[in-house]
Structures are given as structure tokens and as C-alpha cells.
Amino acid sequence: MRAIRVTSAALLTTAALTLTSPTAVAGDENITSFGFRVTPSTVAAGGQVTLSVDNCEHAAKVTSGVFDDVTVPKGQKSATAHVFQDAKPGALYEVTFTCGPESGTTDLTIATGGGRQSPGTQTKGVKAGVGGSTGGFDARHVAVGGVLVAGVLGTAYCWTRRRPDSGHS
């Protein structure tokens, strides 16, 4: 009878740890401790984009083949870049954000269309997420997960330590 309780407790603990642990995407090397985004994510050749970083404790360097290198100074959250006039419509360009020793990438698409934009006109794009895996993840989630794991472990410990009733020996 004791073996059944121990096995049940072990399975319950394993299930709880599996369900409460954060999931990682296999092969996703774009996970950083800082957030980053390009707004808009689709822009016309010659247009302007805003390069934003969150939680970067260093000056952030932003590079791409479609605009000159840009530095977001320490303490600031964004900077702007002007896309080259000769950027190929429909092309997808990689934008690399570097904060200290970490780097992450996102894509910037050059818009296709029949007409040219007049100077000063901005193309509105889809608002991008925070980049990386930090979106929506905070200390509260970690605390709740820790409490759940501790509760499962405590319950499993109590079940394994419970003594059989004297009438069922």
C-alpha cells in the first residue's frame, strides 16, 4: 500500500512540475532578457521606423542592412531610423538589437504598392509585441508558480508520511 502512495505522489509531483515550468521553444535563439521591437513592422522605402528597447541597462545598438546603424542611448527607450530609398519592395530585412552581451532579431518588411509616398507621410503597420519571451511574464507569475509547486510537494510529502489506520494492518 505504501508503494502505491509513493508512486502516486511521485507522479503527481512530476505532473505539477511539468505543467508549471515555463516552456521553451526548441531552436529559438531569440530569447533575451530585454524586449525590443520595430514600429511599424512594414514600412515603405525611404520611410521612418521607431526602434524600441525595454529593460536594457546598456546603450543598445541596432543594425540592419536597410538603414544605418542606430544607438539607443542608455536610459532611453527608443530611437528612429530612416529606411534607405533603394530598399526593395516586398523584401524582408533582419533587424538586430544588441544590449550588452545579448542580441535578438526581428524582421522589417518593405511595403509594396503602386504609388510613392509623399515626404512626411507615415505607413501605419501592425503594432509588434515586446520581442523575446518576456512579454506578460512577471514576478507575480513566478510567485504563483512557486506556491503551486510548494503546495504539491507538501501534499506529496504528507501523503507519503501518512501512517495506515490500525484496523487495516
Side-chain angles (χ1 to χ4, degrees):
M1 190 66 140
R2 179 163 168 77
I4 293 173
R5 283 191 294 222
V6 171
T7 304
S8 296
L11 288 173
L12 181 63
T13 302
T14 302
L17 290 174
T18 301
L19 294 174
T20 59
S21 66
T23 57
V25 178
D28 187 2
E29 297 176 15
N30 210 18
I31 299 173
T32 62
S33 64
F34 68 99
F36 53 90
R37 64 193 164 282
V38 177
T39 310
S41 61
T42 301
V43 66
Q48 180 177 308
V49 291
T50 301
L51 310 167
S52 304
V53 293
D54 299 313
N55 302 320
C56 179
E57 300 297 324
H58 308 277
K61 183 176 180 182
V62 186
T63 58
S64 180
V66 74
F67 54 77
D68 290 325
D69 292 356
V70 175
T71 299
V72 179
K74 181 179 178 179
Q76 291 188 13
K77 293 191 176 249
S78 65
T80 58
H82 293 279
V83 175
F84 297 145
Q85 273 298 28
D86 61 348
K88 183 179 177 185
L92 187 68
Y93 290 90
E94 187 174 85
V95 180
T96 302
F97 289 79
T98 304
C99 176
E102 293 183 279
S103 291
T105 60
T106 190
D107 293 326
L108 175 62
T109 304
I110 305 304
T112 59
R116 295 186 61 100
Q117 279 187 313
S118 59
T121 304
Q122 286 189 336
T123 302
K124 298 285 184 180
V126 177
K127 182 173 177 153
V130 296
S133 65
T134 60
F137 185 73
D138 59 12
R140 183 177 53 175
H141 290 115
V142 173
V144 170
V147 168
L148 288 171
V149 170
V152 168
L153 291 175
T155 302
Y157 178 77
C158 288
W159 283 356
T160 60
R161 302 297 298 165
R162 189 178 294 165
R163 302 201 188 282
D165 293 339
S166 59
H168 291 82
S169 297

